[in-house]
Amino acid sequence: MESIIGVRFRKTGKLYYFNSLQFGLKIGDNIIANTERGEELGRVVKILKKEELSEDLKVDNIIRPATKKDIEIFHENEKKAKSALAFCKEQAKKMKLNMKFLAAEYTFDTTKLIFYFVSEDRVDFRELVKVLASKYKSRIELRQIGPRDEIKTYPNLGMCGKEVCCRTYLQDFEPVTIKMAKEQGLQINMAKLSGACGKLMCCLKYEEETY
């Protein structure tokens, strides 16, 4: 029976599905595969039979299982991205751009270098992109993220005392409304109902169906 593997390319990222083919992969193994971002290294987190997938899910072929050398390249890319982030921050400051850069990452094949930032204003960063592309000889992408995605980039504790859910296991952000708090009989105190991101806590969604 043909098996399908579920792969994540970052800790709480989207789940991608691939044919395991002849490789005999197991949960915890690393693979190299193509995604819409380019060639990336990911980890197998789920194994299922092909008939268990819904018809609308796309299944691709992996390139190969990751080798020890691939893992070394991945960690080297992380170091390069960290250095690129520092340079990007310096250049943005010189250009007086109102942008807060939070993280940077290379695709495995280093054809793309992505920078994540937050900003309250609309920013013309075309000149910054030119400088970055000239220095790193890769396709540059500057991706603006919201408050919830910002919190995922560094450790934060929730009101429960544990690390915030968006950093540990949440893949997608579902809408959270004040109506959910009212249905659960909670006192409407925004300071207590708001998470580290300043938005309504994602955990208000968890027990909504029960109520």
Side-chain angles (χ1 to χ4, degrees):
M1 190 70 68
E2 186 177 8
S3 294
I4 302 298
I5 56 173
V7 177
R8 284 207 179 98
F9 296 94
R10 49 202 52 79
K11 188 176 179 180
T12 54
K14 176 183 175 182
L15 194 63
Y16 290 79
Y17 294 96
F18 297 91
N19 289 310
S20 60
L21 301 175
Q22 76 276 17
F23 296 118
L25 295 162
K26 60 185 183 298
I27 291 175
D29 287 345
N30 293 302
I31 64 148
I32 304 295
N34 279 316
T35 72
E36 68 264 20
R37 290 154 44 100
E39 196 173 295
E40 296 191 88
L41 183 146
R43 181 180 293 269
V44 179
V45 297
K46 189 175 183 180
I47 296 178
L48 61 163
K49 294 184 176 71
K50 192 170 184 179
E51 59 267 24
E52 294 180 77
L53 283 176
S54 60
E55 293 182 0
D56 60 335
L57 284 175
K58 181 182 178 184
V59 178
D60 294 311
N61 291 325
I62 66 172
I63 297 175
R64 66 177 189 278
T67 63
K68 183 178 179 180
K69 181 63 176 177
D70 290 329
I71 303 299
E72 292 174 357
I73 291 172
F74 175 79
H75 290 307
E76 186 61 33
N77 287 346
E78 286 185 320
K79 293 178 182 177
K80 291 178 181 177
K82 187 175 181 179
S83 175
L85 178 62
F87 177 79
C88 181
K89 287 179 178 179
E90 180 185 323
Q91 294 303 307
K93 186 176 181 180
K94 285 182 180 178
M95 297 178 186
K96 297 181 179 180
L97 298 177
N98 184 23
M99 304 168 74
K100 179 183 177 183
F101 285 92
L102 302 169
E105 61 180 357
Y106 271 108
T107 53
F108 178 77
D109 55 9
T110 68
T111 57
K112 182 186 286 188
L113 176 55
I114 305 166
F115 296 89
Y116 299 90
F117 74 94
V118 292
S119 177
E120 295 180 358
D121 306 315
R122 187 171 181 176
V123 184
D124 183 354
F125 48 69
R126 287 175 293 182
E127 192 60 36
L128 177 59
V129 170
K130 289 179 183 178
V131 171
L132 295 171
S134 176
K135 181 174 178 64
Y136 296 107
K137 311 301 180 187
S138 296
R139 181 182 171 190
I140 303 297
E141 181 178 336
L142 269 59
R143 187 175 297 178
Q144 186 169 4
I145 61 176
R148 287 181 170 176
D149 287 300
E150 178 184 358
I151 291 301
K152 292 177 69 171
T153 62
Y154 42 77
N156 273 283
L157 296 180
M159 291 182 66
C160 59
K162 295 183 179 181
E163 193 169 23
V164 289
C165 299
C166 59
R167 186 172 168 84
T168 51
Y169 78 92
L170 280 183
Q171 299 176 45
D172 301 299
F173 293 120
E174 296 185 26
V176 182
T177 66
I178 200 68
K179 181 183 176 183
M180 295 175 184
K182 291 179 179 178
E183 288 176 344
Q184 294 173 48
L186 299 173
Q187 182 181 357
I188 307 305
N189 182 326
M190 294 307 295
K192 292 184 177 181
L193 295 178
S194 299
C197 61
K199 303 291 185 180
L200 288 170
M201 292 187 293
C202 293
C203 54
L204 290 174
K205 177 75 176 174
Y206 299 162
E207 297 182 14
E208 182 199 14
E209 292 182 3
T210 302
Y211 286 86

